[in-house]
Amino acid sequence: MARAQKTRGDSESAAGLEDATPHYHGHRERLRARFREAGADAVADYELLELVLFRAIPQRDVKPLAKKLIETFGSFAEVIGAPETRLKEVKGLGDSAIIEIKVVQAAASRLARGQVKARAVLSSWSSVLDYCRTAMAFADKEQFRILFLDKRNQLIADEVQQTGTVDHTPVYPREVVKRALELSATAIILVHNHPSGDPTPSRADIQMTQSIVEVAKPLGISVHDHIIVGKDGHASLKGLRLI
């Protein structure tokens, strides 16, 4: 009888432990297994975001938070690219989770930049566009970036020259050309973002680009293009025949 009672007690204890196991543990393992076996295309945006959040938030179901982030910002890419100040406004998202998100953004940017640096820029234009969008498309302030190229059109340097407001960045043509001379660059690609999302060049964008072309040309520096990126796409001033 005592043995039977002990067995029953053990069963009840085991059942209690099973009931105490958080339900999201099984979900996490199933999601990891699906990602491992079927790849990234087998998971939705919010599920990929869950995988990022698992490490930073080990003791909580992160599915509602992941869905909230996608709802707030629009997509996985927009969550990853969102400014830290905006991310901090989301309830339940702490500093550790924000760091994990920003690590993913940094990794994506370095991967894209590595693909640009590995070959002549003009022979890998799609990689250039991918890199520019990864680096800048979802920023909340305008940034003016320059890709400096050598005579083989390989990347010498990639620098953010100015950071402005939500709709304006001050750019000084002579400073742009001065920096190109310092780096012994023979060509440059201008890049900036429109936080509004619409990459359509403004009149000021066109005039500024033409001013840089005028200053750079007599010094043997070519302006290959001015690319404007936004979350809705990109625009090439050269492609639009504006330079």
Side-chain angles (χ1 to χ4, degrees), residues 8-32:
R8 186 163 54 252
D10 289 346
S11 298
E12 290 172 353
S13 297
L17 287 172
E18 185 175 343
D19 291 342
T21 302
H23 71 281
Y24 57 80
H25 281 195
H27 168 69
R28 289 187 175 204
E29 291 309 313
R30 289 191 297 272
L31 184 54
R32 286 189 178 110

mmCIF file of all heavy atoms in Angstrom, residues 8-32:
data_model
loop_
_atom_site.group_PDB
_atom_site.id
_atom_site.type_symbol
_atom_site.label_atom_id
_atom_site.label_comp_id
_atom_site.label_asym_id
_atom_site.label_seq_id
_atom_site.Cartn_x
_atom_site.Cartn_y
_atom_site.Cartn_z
ATOM 1 N N ARG A 8 1.849 6.828 -6.731
ATOM 2 C CA ARG A 8 0.836 7.805 -7.088
ATOM 3 C C ARG A 8 1.319 9.220 -6.798
ATOM 4 O O ARG A 8 1.120 10.153 -7.570
ATOM 5 C CB ARG A 8 -0.466 7.502 -6.320
ATOM 6 C CG ARG A 8 -1.617 8.404 -6.744
ATOM 7 C CD ARG A 8 -2.975 7.855 -6.308
ATOM 8 N NE ARG A 8 -3.029 7.589 -4.880
ATOM 9 C CZ ARG A 8 -3.045 6.359 -4.346
ATOM 10 N NH1 ARG A 8 -3.013 5.287 -5.124
ATOM 11 N NH2 ARG A 8 -3.103 6.200 -3.039
ATOM 12 N N GLY A 9 2.012 9.384 -5.671
ATOM 13 C CA GLY A 9 2.546 10.694 -5.304
ATOM 14 C C GLY A 9 3.592 11.156 -6.297
ATOM 15 O O GLY A 9 3.632 12.322 -6.679
ATOM 16 N N ASP A 10 4.462 10.186 -6.730
ATOM 17 C CA ASP A 10 5.472 10.544 -7.720
ATOM 18 C C ASP A 10 4.829 10.995 -9.021
ATOM 19 O O ASP A 10 5.276 11.930 -9.661
ATOM 20 C CB ASP A 10 6.400 9.347 -7.995
ATOM 21 C CG ASP A 10 7.306 9.070 -6.805
ATOM 22 O OD1 ASP A 10 7.397 9.952 -5.926
ATOM 23 O OD2 ASP A 10 7.901 7.977 -6.769
ATOM 24 N N SER A 11 3.761 10.300 -9.421
ATOM 25 C CA SER A 11 3.062 10.655 -10.658
ATOM 26 C C SER A 11 2.461 12.042 -10.561
ATOM 27 O O SER A 11 2.511 12.840 -11.495
ATOM 28 C CB SER A 11 1.957 9.638 -10.957
ATOM 29 O OG SER A 11 2.517 8.360 -11.147
ATOM 30 N N GLU A 12 1.891 12.332 -9.364
ATOM 31 C CA GLU A 12 1.281 13.639 -9.172
ATOM 32 C C GLU A 12 2.336 14.735 -9.208
ATOM 33 O O GLU A 12 2.137 15.804 -9.779
ATOM 34 C CB GLU A 12 0.517 13.674 -7.840
ATOM 35 C CG GLU A 12 -0.746 12.812 -7.871
ATOM 36 C CD GLU A 12 -1.386 12.698 -6.489
ATOM 37 O OE1 GLU A 12 -0.757 13.171 -5.521
ATOM 38 O OE2 GLU A 12 -2.492 12.151 -6.383
ATOM 39 N N SER A 13 3.543 14.434 -8.618
ATOM 40 C CA SER A 13 4.623 15.417 -8.623
ATOM 41 C C SER A 13 5.112 15.670 -10.039
ATOM 42 O O SER A 13 5.364 16.806 -10.438
ATOM 43 C CB SER A 13 5.795 14.934 -7.753
ATOM 44 O OG SER A 13 5.385 14.811 -6.419
ATOM 45 N N ALA A 14 5.249 14.586 -10.820
ATOM 46 C CA ALA A 14 5.701 14.725 -12.202
ATOM 47 C C ALA A 14 4.711 15.543 -13.010
ATOM 48 O O ALA A 14 5.092 16.385 -13.829
ATOM 49 C CB ALA A 14 5.891 13.351 -12.835
ATOM 50 N N ALA A 15 3.423 15.280 -12.759
ATOM 51 C CA ALA A 15 2.399 16.027 -13.480
ATOM 52 C C ALA A 15 2.461 17.500 -13.109
ATOM 53 O O ALA A 15 2.295 18.379 -13.946
ATOM 54 C CB ALA A 15 1.006 15.454 -13.165
ATOM 55 N N GLY A 16 2.731 17.753 -11.812
ATOM 56 C CA GLY A 16 2.844 19.125 -11.364
ATOM 57 C C GLY A 16 4.002 19.842 -12.025
ATOM 58 O O GLY A 16 3.887 20.996 -12.439
ATOM 59 N N LEU A 17 5.153 19.144 -12.164
ATOM 60 C CA LEU A 17 6.308 19.740 -12.814
ATOM 61 C C LEU A 17 6.026 20.016 -14.278
ATOM 62 O O LEU A 17 6.425 21.041 -14.834
ATOM 63 C CB LEU A 17 7.526 18.815 -12.682
ATOM 64 C CG LEU A 17 8.152 18.743 -11.286
ATOM 65 C CD1 LEU A 17 9.203 17.645 -11.258
ATOM 66 C CD2 LEU A 17 8.769 20.079 -10.900
ATOM 67 N N GLU A 18 5.305 19.067 -14.909
ATOM 68 C CA GLU A 18 4.966 19.243 -16.318
ATOM 69 C C GLU A 18 4.062 20.448 -16.498
ATOM 70 O O GLU A 18 4.225 21.245 -17.427
ATOM 71 C CB GLU A 18 4.283 17.979 -16.836
ATOM 72 C CG GLU A 18 4.008 18.031 -18.333
ATOM 73 C CD GLU A 18 3.437 16.729 -18.846
ATOM 74 O OE1 GLU A 18 3.548 15.715 -18.154
ATOM 75 O OE2 GLU A 18 2.873 16.751 -19.958
ATOM 76 N N ASP A 19 3.094 20.615 -15.577
ATOM 77 C CA ASP A 19 2.192 21.748 -15.662
ATOM 78 C C ASP A 19 2.938 23.067 -15.436
ATOM 79 O O ASP A 19 2.558 24.104 -15.959
ATOM 80 C CB ASP A 19 1.071 21.617 -14.617
ATOM 81 C CG ASP A 19 0.120 20.468 -14.952
ATOM 82 O OD1 ASP A 19 0.137 20.034 -16.123
ATOM 83 O OD2 ASP A 19 -0.593 20.012 -14.050
ATOM 84 N N ALA A 20 4.032 22.994 -14.632
ATOM 85 C CA ALA A 20 4.774 24.202 -14.311
ATOM 86 C C ALA A 20 5.693 24.647 -15.437
ATOM 87 O O ALA A 20 6.182 25.765 -15.438
ATOM 88 C CB ALA A 20 5.590 23.984 -13.040
ATOM 89 N N THR A 21 5.976 23.767 -16.398
ATOM 90 C CA THR A 21 6.845 24.129 -17.516
ATOM 91 C C THR A 21 6.142 25.143 -18.418
ATOM 92 O O THR A 21 5.047 24.888 -18.897
ATOM 93 C CB THR A 21 7.207 22.883 -18.349
ATOM 94 O OG1 THR A 21 7.843 21.933 -17.510
ATOM 95 C CG2 THR A 21 8.143 23.265 -19.481
ATOM 96 N N PRO A 22 6.743 26.301 -18.614
ATOM 97 C CA PRO A 22 6.086 27.320 -19.443
ATOM 98 C C PRO A 22 5.752 26.783 -20.834
ATOM 99 O O PRO A 22 6.552 26.077 -21.444
ATOM 100 C CB PRO A 22 7.141 28.432 -19.526
ATOM 101 C CG PRO A 22 7.977 28.241 -18.300
ATOM 102 C CD PRO A 22 8.031 26.754 -18.087
ATOM 103 N N HIS A 23 4.578 27.138 -21.322
ATOM 104 C CA HIS A 23 4.120 26.606 -22.606
ATOM 105 C C HIS A 23 5.005 27.050 -23.762
ATOM 106 O O HIS A 23 5.103 26.373 -24.780
ATOM 107 C CB HIS A 23 2.681 27.064 -22.868
ATOM 108 C CG HIS A 23 2.559 28.522 -23.184
ATOM 109 N ND1 HIS A 23 2.582 29.500 -22.213
ATOM 110 C CD2 HIS A 23 2.446 29.176 -24.366
ATOM 111 C CE1 HIS A 23 2.465 30.687 -22.778
ATOM 112 N NE2 HIS A 23 2.394 30.531 -24.084
ATOM 113 N N TYR A 24 5.690 28.204 -23.606
ATOM 114 C CA TYR A 24 6.459 28.726 -24.731
ATOM 115 C C TYR A 24 7.764 27.971 -24.958
ATOM 116 O O TYR A 24 8.386 28.129 -25.999
ATOM 117 C CB TYR A 24 6.741 30.220 -24.545
ATOM 118 C CG TYR A 24 7.460 30.596 -23.271
ATOM 119 C CD1 TYR A 24 8.840 30.451 -23.158
ATOM 120 C CD2 TYR A 24 6.760 31.107 -22.184
ATOM 121 C CE1 TYR A 24 9.504 30.807 -22.000
ATOM 122 C CE2 TYR A 24 7.423 31.461 -21.018
ATOM 123 C CZ TYR A 24 8.788 31.309 -20.928
ATOM 124 O OH TYR A 24 9.442 31.652 -19.774
ATOM 125 N N HIS A 25 8.188 27.125 -23.983
ATOM 126 C CA HIS A 25 9.420 26.351 -24.180
ATOM 127 C C HIS A 25 9.305 25.439 -25.401
ATOM 128 O O HIS A 25 10.204 25.368 -26.233
ATOM 129 C CB HIS A 25 9.742 25.538 -22.928
ATOM 130 C CG HIS A 25 10.384 26.356 -21.850
ATOM 131 N ND1 HIS A 25 11.019 25.814 -20.771
ATOM 132 C CD2 HIS A 25 10.490 27.704 -21.706
ATOM 133 C CE1 HIS A 25 11.493 26.779 -19.996
ATOM 134 N NE2 HIS A 25 11.171 27.933 -20.537
ATOM 135 N N GLY A 26 8.181 24.731 -25.507
ATOM 136 C CA GLY A 26 7.970 23.854 -26.649
ATOM 137 C C GLY A 26 7.872 24.636 -27.944
ATOM 138 O O GLY A 26 8.386 24.205 -28.980
ATOM 139 N N HIS A 27 7.243 25.801 -27.890
ATOM 140 C CA HIS A 27 7.126 26.654 -29.073
ATOM 141 C C HIS A 27 8.499 27.085 -29.561
ATOM 142 O O HIS A 27 8.777 27.075 -30.764
ATOM 143 C CB HIS A 27 6.273 27.876 -28.748
ATOM 144 C CG HIS A 27 6.324 28.953 -29.794
ATOM 145 N ND1 HIS A 27 5.762 28.799 -31.045
ATOM 146 C CD2 HIS A 27 6.895 30.193 -29.784
ATOM 147 C CE1 HIS A 27 5.977 29.901 -31.761
ATOM 148 N NE2 HIS A 27 6.668 30.748 -31.015
ATOM 149 N N ARG A 28 9.367 27.450 -28.636
ATOM 150 C CA ARG A 28 10.710 27.902 -29.023
ATOM 151 C C ARG A 28 11.478 26.793 -29.734
ATOM 152 O O ARG A 28 12.130 27.036 -30.756
ATOM 153 C CB ARG A 28 11.487 28.365 -27.782
ATOM 154 C CG ARG A 28 10.967 29.666 -27.201
ATOM 155 C CD ARG A 28 11.840 30.190 -26.083
ATOM 156 N NE ARG A 28 11.361 31.495 -25.638
ATOM 157 C CZ ARG A 28 12.110 32.408 -25.038
ATOM 158 N NH1 ARG A 28 13.388 32.149 -24.799
ATOM 159 N NH2 ARG A 28 11.608 33.562 -24.667
ATOM 160 N N GLU A 29 11.400 25.600 -29.195
ATOM 161 C CA GLU A 29 12.131 24.487 -29.804
ATOM 162 C C GLU A 29 11.561 24.143 -31.180
ATOM 163 O O GLU A 29 12.301 23.836 -32.115
ATOM 164 C CB GLU A 29 12.093 23.260 -28.881
ATOM 165 C CG GLU A 29 12.905 23.441 -27.602
ATOM 166 C CD GLU A 29 14.319 23.918 -27.891
ATOM 167 O OE1 GLU A 29 14.975 23.342 -28.778
ATOM 168 O OE2 GLU A 29 14.774 24.887 -27.247
ATOM 169 N N ARG A 30 10.236 24.181 -31.296
ATOM 170 C CA ARG A 30 9.618 23.895 -32.596
ATOM 171 C C ARG A 30 10.006 24.953 -33.633
ATOM 172 O O ARG A 30 10.282 24.635 -34.791
ATOM 173 C CB ARG A 30 8.101 23.821 -32.454
ATOM 174 C CG ARG A 30 7.592 22.589 -31.717
ATOM 175 C CD ARG A 30 6.082 22.455 -31.838
ATOM 176 N NE ARG A 30 5.384 23.570 -31.209
ATOM 177 C CZ ARG A 30 5.032 23.610 -29.926
ATOM 178 N NH1 ARG A 30 5.341 22.592 -29.124
ATOM 179 N NH2 ARG A 30 4.384 24.653 -29.429
ATOM 180 N N LEU A 31 10.037 26.213 -33.217
ATOM 181 C CA LEU A 31 10.386 27.297 -34.140
ATOM 182 C C LEU A 31 11.849 27.178 -34.559
ATOM 183 O O LEU A 31 12.182 27.341 -35.742
ATOM 184 C CB LEU A 31 10.113 28.649 -33.488
ATOM 185 C CG LEU A 31 10.332 29.891 -34.361
ATOM 186 C CD1 LEU A 31 9.531 29.798 -35.660
ATOM 187 C CD2 LEU A 31 9.947 31.154 -33.588
ATOM 188 N N ARG A 32 12.721 26.899 -33.611
ATOM 189 C CA ARG A 32 14.144 26.720 -33.942
ATOM 190 C C ARG A 32 14.325 25.554 -34.918
ATOM 191 O O ARG A 32 15.110 25.632 -35.864
ATOM 192 C CB ARG A 32 14.948 26.471 -32.673
ATOM 193 C CG ARG A 32 15.153 27.702 -31.795
ATOM 194 C CD ARG A 32 16.135 27.397 -30.677
ATOM 195 N NE ARG A 32 16.393 28.550 -29.832
ATOM 196 C CZ ARG A 32 15.980 28.674 -28.571
ATOM 197 N NH1 ARG A 32 15.279 27.707 -28.003
ATOM 198 N NH2 ARG A 32 16.276 29.750 -27.873
#
